[in-house]
């Protein structure tokens, strides 16, 4: 922007605070006119300097604040356009004039920011001589010192402006041979001094701070920001100041304040990033040397992780600058970091592992993998030995981290892993084979990476399967087969032929030896092994290295025999054959550079093309086999075969006859075979169709019953023709179209008709097919129009897709096809099938786009139109007119479909449609809103919602006076969710147009709904604000906000994922926050975050412990690498062999979050529920709750039979008795409606026949009546059974009882209900609220001091109580 443009904005100010500046500028320009000076930057500059001395004085300070602010603002605006020599000469004068504004304590922020802008321009203009002046003189260094002071000001905008000025100054150094700016040392020294003072203050405040006080360090944060500004602006931190900076930053990094730690790391990151260029990279070795010398103590859990992270990032940058030199240091780096893996601190181990993974990923160049030198191989050997050493017992506490490091090594070294990491594979494999090893999942990940890097041959040489002849010295490793299946890639097929094909034969022979006798477990194991062996074939066929040599005639014959004879192996074999083609074609079409492609796949594009040519020579025979297998396979298992057929059809060579003597015989043979196959298939299909015509309906039913498992042959042949279609020449297309014309009118076989419609979209997948569709467009139009009446319901979706293809390639002179087929497409918008509806909507949009592109519609060619009908020009408006014609339909279904179609097209083209047409549509729908037909109104509601959401406000707002009363007429209709839909429309309407406007047009009797919406919104907002306000008081509110935001984003993503497109979201979706109760989610997130924080604190405080698992009488040899499998990081569970030992074991008392004791739930010691039940009885065998109630004197019950035996019998009876819950057909619960006797031995009372699902009856002084139930249902005090449900329950009274509800104990205190799987009693009085889960119910009566009271409580599944 030029100076004149900036001044023009000031001359016509829009803000109040710019009017004073405008007046000053006007006065300056008037003066310049009088003195006949031009309006140049120099003239403005001179006039402003004169005004500066009048408004600011070095002795009096700021004389006129308003004038000073305007003058300095204009000076800041003009200075960048003033010549540099003039700025250098006037520097002392300007600095003296601005000094009071920069140093005065009460100066306002706008004046300060403008003053700093002037200084920025002046300092950038200074040369090296001026920068050489000492700070005691009036020069650039003194001005820069002032900017550094303001960079830590308490006002954010002042700090920001000062730091921006420092950045620009340091990024624009004067011409000099030095890398750094002349003032970089001054800035670094000042910033370091400020940071050091701030760090001391922080340490002092931290030591004197109580544990529950908040920790805020604004001074340290401001100082760190200044350091970050200088480090990022001067091409890296000055070399002479690196030592002290690193030491201070590492000390700050161990602070408990996460913001300080993050700021320190950002500075390190900025320094390293600044050194990534060639100019500043010379400072990196010195920096890494300094950081390495600042190595903290090995047990410092606070300082070591940040130090390790800085080391990792530093060598990452070093690898980018000098990869060879960094690679040479890799063994030393491993030796420096690996000892930290033996630390007791989990954080240190994690940091060390991540650092070593970073070394492996970044410090090994690709050139070393491709063509390593002798010295490179020695370095790799050292790395391999270091990796092997990580599996020693010394690092057993970090076995998970070690496995991650080993996995990254395999991924980085690739095929160089052999033989460097052979010992690692052997050790990990032996650990994985040990039954006592707990890290099998992590070991599988390492071995999987080894398979991918070494190949299966290299791994099986180290860890053989030993499945043919296993013995004690050679254990079988069948667990390797799933790993090989998931990770084999880019290897040799010959290894599969020599290793696994014979093994499969051995296993299969053992199955055959079993004969026809009943299958044993051993036989089933052999069958599983055979399937697992052949499941490896797809991996071997995924980009193999020896395809031309290994895939020969013998192997092809073996594959063919498997396809014919082994039905269960067909999926794996077909997938393998398909991968042979797809993987090589992916290499050919890849855009990856050739060098990187060789590193990743070891196959060039030329080799991949050679592999495709080799497969093409087998395509004819393989296709013949696949065709036969396809015809013998059930329809639900044909998908993979059809994909395999398609893959080999794609590589079938085309007929090549360049000249008379240049004939590719093999290609011609395969092509001839394909043509013969097509001819044979079409002939068979025509014969099958003729046979279907000649058959009577009784014959068809008889044939259907005789061969119900296989589809008709015509279906199979049609599938093959559809697959072949895109690979056929143009000469075969007439046959294809004649077949389609023969099948489409047939109504006797809907499935065959559906397949015929699929032929047209299939042809659109090839260029030849597209050209054929364009040439035969008129024939296809007539065919589709003629078959409209015979289209079956299953074929409607495919018919719409076929019409879509025809319309897409419709010529400009055939647009009459659109109105001819439009009515069918519109009525399809109401199809029950969702896919058919979606296809209809897409077709409507495509038709509108085609009409919008322009052309002429010959109305005389439209069916049922007169021959002399005039031609009309196609346009979007004309298309809407055609669709709107359906509004005059004779049936409500047609009118509803038309409204739905108009809604979809309007939403898509609302921006291109003229406002007049849109207004007519809205007014028309306003009339239909008064219809009495619910089907029509349901579509109108969708239109109204789209209009309110997407249409411009000037179009919708005038119609609110009639829309609102019309919608209110349907707000009382509960059928078809009318009430909910209308309410949501009003919510969106209020959100867009405001409550007052909607309330204005709402009829008086119906305003209750509008007010309810407003109150609901306000209530939800208040709860949300209250939840946010309560979270602000917490120290971890930042983390809580992040958690809440993440949850809301995840919820919004889930909402967005519910709909396939924007139109569905607009019609059916809702982003109303009140519908999901965000305040409840916030509370849950808050509790979850607190729980996570406490869990992390506990995990930090807990020291790492290790336990030795001895599973034999021999002592454990700690020098053996296998000993790692017998060392556990968790306490082993001791298994008792008898009940006496179990009872004698001490158990730890457990409590719930409220501090109440919990009995009866299995604890960490592995005890079961039986012991928990025993603990609920006293020494005399009575229930503890009964003893308490007797001592309290609150009631005396008859049920004093709660001894141990009676309790157990009652529990067993409730679970397995004749009155227990049983499951019937479909897993439904069944309950007995009769009960002969109560469990207390008394007879059945009259009127209690339906009391089987009651909770235990509670009585106070009158005595306790025990009733056993199954925890299902609820009964109130009057009797009657209710369904179990989640609800609020409360209870009052004073009494005690005991009871069992399906093995669940209910405990009520003050009306609060808790549940645990044991037997227990409860006693309580008062009311309360609690929460729990499970299934059960309870009701009771009791007498209180004031009289008798009743209370019921119900526990529903996952409910709130």
């Amino acid at each position: 922007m030029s100076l004149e443009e900036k001044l023009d904005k000031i001359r016509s100010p829009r803000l109040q605070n710019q009017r004073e500046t405008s007046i000053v500028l006007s006065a300056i320009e008037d003066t310049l006119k009088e003195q006949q000076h031009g309006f140049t930057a120099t003239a403005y500059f001179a006039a402003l300097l004169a005004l500066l001395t009048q408004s600011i004085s070095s002795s009096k300070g700021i004389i006129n604040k308003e004038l000073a602010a305007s003058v300095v603002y204009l000076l800041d605006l003009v200075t960048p356009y003033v010549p540099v020599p003039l700025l250098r000469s006037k520097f002392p004068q300007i600095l003296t004039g601005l000094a009071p504004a920069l140093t005065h304590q009460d100066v306002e922020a706008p004046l300060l920011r403008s003053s700093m802008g002037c200084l920025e321009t002046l300092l950038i203009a200074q040369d090296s001589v001026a920068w050489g002046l000492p700070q005691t003189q009036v020069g650039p260094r003194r001005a820069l010192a002032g900017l550094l002071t303001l960079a830590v000001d308490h006002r954010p905008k002042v700090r920001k402006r000062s730091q921006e000025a420092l950045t620009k100054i340091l990024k624009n150094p004067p011409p000099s041979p030095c890398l750094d700016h002349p003032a970089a040392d001054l800035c670094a020294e000042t910033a370091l001094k400020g940071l050091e003072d701030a760090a001391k203050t922080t340490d002092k405040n931290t030591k004197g701070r109580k544990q529950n006080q908040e920790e805020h360090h604004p001074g340290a944060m401001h100082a760190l920001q200044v350091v970050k500004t200088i480090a990022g602006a001067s091409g890296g931190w000055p070399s002479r100041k690196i030592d002290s900076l690193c030491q201070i930053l590492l000390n700050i990094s161990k602070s408990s304040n996460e913001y300080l730690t993050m700021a320190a790391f950002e500075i390190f990151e900025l320094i390293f990033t600044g050194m990534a260029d060639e100019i500043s990279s010379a400072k990196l070795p010195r920096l890494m040397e300094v950081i390495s010398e600042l190595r903290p103590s090995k047990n410092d859990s606070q300082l070591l992780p940040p130090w390790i992270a800085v080391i990792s990032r530093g060598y990452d940058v070093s690898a980018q600058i000098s990869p060879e030199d960094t690679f040479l240091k890799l063994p030393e780096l491993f030796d420096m970091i690996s000892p930290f893996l033996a630390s007791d601190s989990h954080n240190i181990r994690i940091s060390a592992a991540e650092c070593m993974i970073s070394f492996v990923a970044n410090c090994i160049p690709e050139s070393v993998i491709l063509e390593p030198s002798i010295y490179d191989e020695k370095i790799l050997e050292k790395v391999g030995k270091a990796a092997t050493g990580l599996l020693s017992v010394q690092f057993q506490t970090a076995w998970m981290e070690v496995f991650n490091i080993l996995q990254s090594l395999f991924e980085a070294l690739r095929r160089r892993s052999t033989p460097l990491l052979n010992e690692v594979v052997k050790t990990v494999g032996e650990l994985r084979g040990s039954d006592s090893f707990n890290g099998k999942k992590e070991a599988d990940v390492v071995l999987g990476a080894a398979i991918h890097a070494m190949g299966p041959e290299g791994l099986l040489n180290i860890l053989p399967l030993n499945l043919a002849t296993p013995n004690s010295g050679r254990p079988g490793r069948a667990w390797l087969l799933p790993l090989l299946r998931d990770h084999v890639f880019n290897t040799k097929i010959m290894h599969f032929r020599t290793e696994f094909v014979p093994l499969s034969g051995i296993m299969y022979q053992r199955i055959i030896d079993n004969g026809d006798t009943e299958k044993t477990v051993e036989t089933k194991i052999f069958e599983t092994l055979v399937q697992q062996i052949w499941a490896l074939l797809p991996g071997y066929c995924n980009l193999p290295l020896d395809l031309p040599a290994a895939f020969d005639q013998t192997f092809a014959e073996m594959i063919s025999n498997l396809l014919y004879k082994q039905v269960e192996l067909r999926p794996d074999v077909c997938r393998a054959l398909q991968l042979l083609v797809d993987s090589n074609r992916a290499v050919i079409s890849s855009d990856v550079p050739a060098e990187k492609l060789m590193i990743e796949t070891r196959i060039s594009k030329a080799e991949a093309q050679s592999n495709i040519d080799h497969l093409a020579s087998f395509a004819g025979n393989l296709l013949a086999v696949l065709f036969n297998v396809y015809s013998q396979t059930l329809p639900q298992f044909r998908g993979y075969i059809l994909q395999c057929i398609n893959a080999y059809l794609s590589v079938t060579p085309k007929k090549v006859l360049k000249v008379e003597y240049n004939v590719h015989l093999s290609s011609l043979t395969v092509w001839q075979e394909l043509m013969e196959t097509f001819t044979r298939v079409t002939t068979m299909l025509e014969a099958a169709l003729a046979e279907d015509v000649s058959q009577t309906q009784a014959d068809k039913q008889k044939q259907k019953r005789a061969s119900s498992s296989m589809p008709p042959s015509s279906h199979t042949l049609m599938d093959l023709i559809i697959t072949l279609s895109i690979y056929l020449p143009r000469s075969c297309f007439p046959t294809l179209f004649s077949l389609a014309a023969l099948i489409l009118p047939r109504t006797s076989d809907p499935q065959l008709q559906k397949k015929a419609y699929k032929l047209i979209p299939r042809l659109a997948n090839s260029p030849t097919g597209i050209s054929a569709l364009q040439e035969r467009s008129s024939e296809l139009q007539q065919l589709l129009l003629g078959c409209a009446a015979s289209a079956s319901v299953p074929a409607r979706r495919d018919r719409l897709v076929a019409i879509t293809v025809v319309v897409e390639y419709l010529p400009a002179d055939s647009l009459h096809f659109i109105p001819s087929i439009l009515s069918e497409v519109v009525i399809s918008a109401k199809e029950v099938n969702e896919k058919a509806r979606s296809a209809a909507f897409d077709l409507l949009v495509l038709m509108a786009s085609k009409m919008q592109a322009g052309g002429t519609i010959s109305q005389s060619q439209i069916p049922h139109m007169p021959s002399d009908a005039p031609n009309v020009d196609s346009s979007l408006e004309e298309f809407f007119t055609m669709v709107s014609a359906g509004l005059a339909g004779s049936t409500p279904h047609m009118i509803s479909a038309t409204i739905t179609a108009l809604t979809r097209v309007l939403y898509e083209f609302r921006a291109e449609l003229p406002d007049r047409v849109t207004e007519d549509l809205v007014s028309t729908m306003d009339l239909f809103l008064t219809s009495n037909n619910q089907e029509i109104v349901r579509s109108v509601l969708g239109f109204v919602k789209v209009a309110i959401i997407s249409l411009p406000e000037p179009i919708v707002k005038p119609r609110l006076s009639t829309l609102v009363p019309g919608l209110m007429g349907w707000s009382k209709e509960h059928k078809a969710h009318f009430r909910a839909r209308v309410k949501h429309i009003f919510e969106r309407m209020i959100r867009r147009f405001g409550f007052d406007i909607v309330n204005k047009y709402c009829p008086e009797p119906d305003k209750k709904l509008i007010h309810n919406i407003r109150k609901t919104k306000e209530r939800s907002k208040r709860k949300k604000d209250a939840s946010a306000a309560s979270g602000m008081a917490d120290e971890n509110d930042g983390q809580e906000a992040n958690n809440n935001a993440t949850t809301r984003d995840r919820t919004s993503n889930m909402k967005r994922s519910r709909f396939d497109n924007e139109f569905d979201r607009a019609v059916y979706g809702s982003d109303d926050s009140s519908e999901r109760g965000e305040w409840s989610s916030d509370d849950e997130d808050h509790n979850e975050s607190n729980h996570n924080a406490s869990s992390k604190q506990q995990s930090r405080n807990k020291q790492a412990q290790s336990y030795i698992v001895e599973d034999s009488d021999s002592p454990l040899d700690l020098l053996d690498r296998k000993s790692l499998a017998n060392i556990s990081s968790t306490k082993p569970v001791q298994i008792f062999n008898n009940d006496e030992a179990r009872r004698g074991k001490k158990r730890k008392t457990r409590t719930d979050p409220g501090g109440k004791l919990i009995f009866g739930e299995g604890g960490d010691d592995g005890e079961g529920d039986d012991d928990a039940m025993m603990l609920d009885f006293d020494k005399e065998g009575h229930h503890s709750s009964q003893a308490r109630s007797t001592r309290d004197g609150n009631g005396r019950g008859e049920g004093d039979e709660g001894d141990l035996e009676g309790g157990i019998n009652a529990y067993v009876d409730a679970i397995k008795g004749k009155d227990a819950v049983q499951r019937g057909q479909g897993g439904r619960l069944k309950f007995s409606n009769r009960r002969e006797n109560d469990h207390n031995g008394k007879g059945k009372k009259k009127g209690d026949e339906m009391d089987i699902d009651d909770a235990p009856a509670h009585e106070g002084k009158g005595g306790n009546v025990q009733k056993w139930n199954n925890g299902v249902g609820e009964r109130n005090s009057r009797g009657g059974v209710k369904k179990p449900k989640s609800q609020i329950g409360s209870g009052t009274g004073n009494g005690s009882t005991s009871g069992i509800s399906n093995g669940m104990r209910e405990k009520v205190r003050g009306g609060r209900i808790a549940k645990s799987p044991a037997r227990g009693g409860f006693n309580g009085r008062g009311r309360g609220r609690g929460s729990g889960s499970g299934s059960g119910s309870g009701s009771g009566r009791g007498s209180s001091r004031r009289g008798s009271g009743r209370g019921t409580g119900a526990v529903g599944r996952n409910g709130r109580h």
Side-chain angles (χ1 to χ4, degrees), residues 252-481:
I252 292 177
S253 299
K254 67 179 182 180
S255 171
S256 59
N257 190 318
E258 60 180 358
Y259 298 105
L260 291 179
T261 305
M262 290 173 59
F265 279 123
E266 287 176 358
I267 294 174
F268 274 118
E269 177 72 19
L270 200 61
I271 293 174
F272 288 135
T273 305
M275 293 181 179
D277 56 5
E278 298 179 358
I279 299 176
S280 304
S281 60
K283 303 177 185 178
L284 186 60
R286 172 60 182 160
L287 176 60
M288 297 308 303
E289 182 181 350
V290 170
I291 295 176
S292 301
E293 292 174 355
L294 295 174
R295 178 176 179 176
S297 172
K298 65 179 182 179
N299 296 322
D300 193 341
S301 60
Q302 289 186 341
L303 194 54
L304 256 179
W307 179 81
I308 293 174
V310 171
I311 287 288
S312 173
R313 177 57 181 146
Y315 280 103
D316 181 12
V317 177
S318 177
Q320 299 175 17
I321 298 172
S322 54
E324 291 79 9
D325 296 340
T326 308
F327 173 70
L328 298 180
K329 298 178 182 178
L330 191 57
E332 301 176 5
L333 297 177
F334 263 56
D335 296 338
M336 178 176 64
I337 301 298
S338 59
F340 298 122
L341 291 172
S343 174
D344 293 336
S345 173
H346 180 69
N347 291 337
I348 295 178
R349 297 198 301 270
I350 289 293
S351 299
E354 291 178 350
C355 181
M356 296 181 72
I357 291 173
S358 175
F359 289 159
V360 171
N362 300 316
C363 299
I364 301 180
E366 294 182 351
S367 59
V368 174
I369 305 299
L370 279 177
E371 298 178 357
S373 63
I374 298 177
Y375 193 70
D376 292 340
E377 291 180 351
K378 292 182 179 179
I379 297 296
L380 292 176
E381 289 178 2
K382 294 180 180 179
V383 173
K385 291 181 180 179
T388 306
L390 295 177
L391 291 172
S392 62
V393 182
Q394 176 186 359
F395 303 106
Q396 56 88 17
T397 56
W399 62 271
M400 185 177 294
E401 290 79 10
V402 168
F403 282 176
N404 291 334
I405 297 170
L406 296 177
Q407 178 188 355
S408 64
L409 263 175
F410 281 113
E411 293 173 352
L413 295 179
R414 299 185 183 93
R415 60 181 180 274
R416 299 293 174 188
S417 303
T418 307
L420 299 176
L421 301 179
N422 285 359
E423 194 66 25
V424 170
V425 174
K426 182 178 180 181
T427 305
V428 175
E430 292 174 351
L431 290 174
R432 172 61 177 82
S434 176
D435 295 334
S436 59
F437 183 61
N438 296 326
K440 289 183 172 60
K441 182 178 179 181
E442 290 76 14
D444 286 345
V445 175
V446 177
L447 293 175
I451 293 171
H452 194 80
M454 293 179 166
E457 185 176 4
L459 183 126
L460 292 178
N461 289 335
I462 305 171
L463 299 173
L465 290 174
N466 298 331
L467 294 179
T469 56
N471 52 53
S472 58
R474 301 177 59 192
R477 296 186 177 93
W479 50 267
L480 271 176
L481 291 175

Side-chain angles (χ1 to χ4, degrees), residues 28 58 67 151 247 306 446 450 486 635 712 752 795 957 964:
I28 292 174
S58 57
L67 180 60
Q247 187 170 4
V446 177
D486 296 336
L752 186 62
K957 196 171 182 180
V964 172

Side-chain angles (χ1 to χ4, degrees), residues 1274-1309:
E1274 172 199 355
R1275 183 180 68 85
N1276 56 19
S1277 59
R1278 301 287 182 183
V1281 179
K1282 296 182 179 180
K1283 294 177 65 177
K1285 60 181 180 179
S1286 300
Q1287 67 176 36
I1288 303 297
S1290 63
T1292 62
N1294 190 5
S1296 65
T1297 185
S1298 64
I1300 295 177
S1301 175
N1302 198 10
M1304 305 295 292
R1305 183 183 66 232
E1306 299 185 358
K1307 184 173 182 180
V1308 182
R1309 290 190 176 182

Side-chain angles (χ1 to χ4, degrees), residues 136-202:
T136 55
Q137 298 182 13
V138 179
R141 288 182 175 271
R142 176 179 291 187
L144 193 63
L147 284 177
L148 288 169
T149 304
L150 293 172
V152 292
D153 192 85
H154 65 281
R155 290 165 289 190
K157 291 185 178 180
V158 175
R159 288 198 309 272
K160 181 180 178 181
R161 186 66 186 90
S162 176
Q163 291 166 8
E164 290 176 353
L166 287 173
T167 301
K168 290 185 179 180
I169 292 169
L170 294 176
K171 283 187 175 181
N172 294 276
S176 172
C178 183
L179 294 176
D180 299 327
H181 194 282
D185 289 339
L186 171 63
C187 295
E189 185 177 352
T190 306
L192 277 179
K193 182 67 170 59
L195 183 60
E196 188 175 357
D197 295 342
K200 291 180 180 179
T201 304
T202 300

Side-chain angles (χ1 to χ4, degrees), residues 804-855:
T804 302
V805 173
V806 173
V807 171
E808 184 177 359
Y809 299 105
L810 196 65
D813 57 351
S814 299
L815 292 179
H816 60 275
F817 177 70
I818 292 178
S820 302
I821 205 73
L822 183 59
S823 59
E824 179 184 353
V825 180
V826 169
I827 203 68
S828 299
K830 296 286 290 183
E831 279 289 337
V832 178
N833 187 286
E834 182 182 359
K835 293 182 178 180
R837 289 198 309 272
S838 300
F841 287 145
D842 295 339
L843 181 53
L844 282 170
V845 174
L846 179 62
M847 286 178 169
S849 302
K850 203 75 175 178
M851 293 280 288
Q852 188 182 20

Side-chain angles (χ1 to χ4, degrees), residues 558-570:
M558 181 186 65
I559 293 295
S560 301
N561 291 331
L562 282 174
L563 288 173
Y564 280 123
K565 298 178 181 179
Q566 301 294 331
V567 178
E568 64 278 1
L569 301 181
R570 284 178 184 173

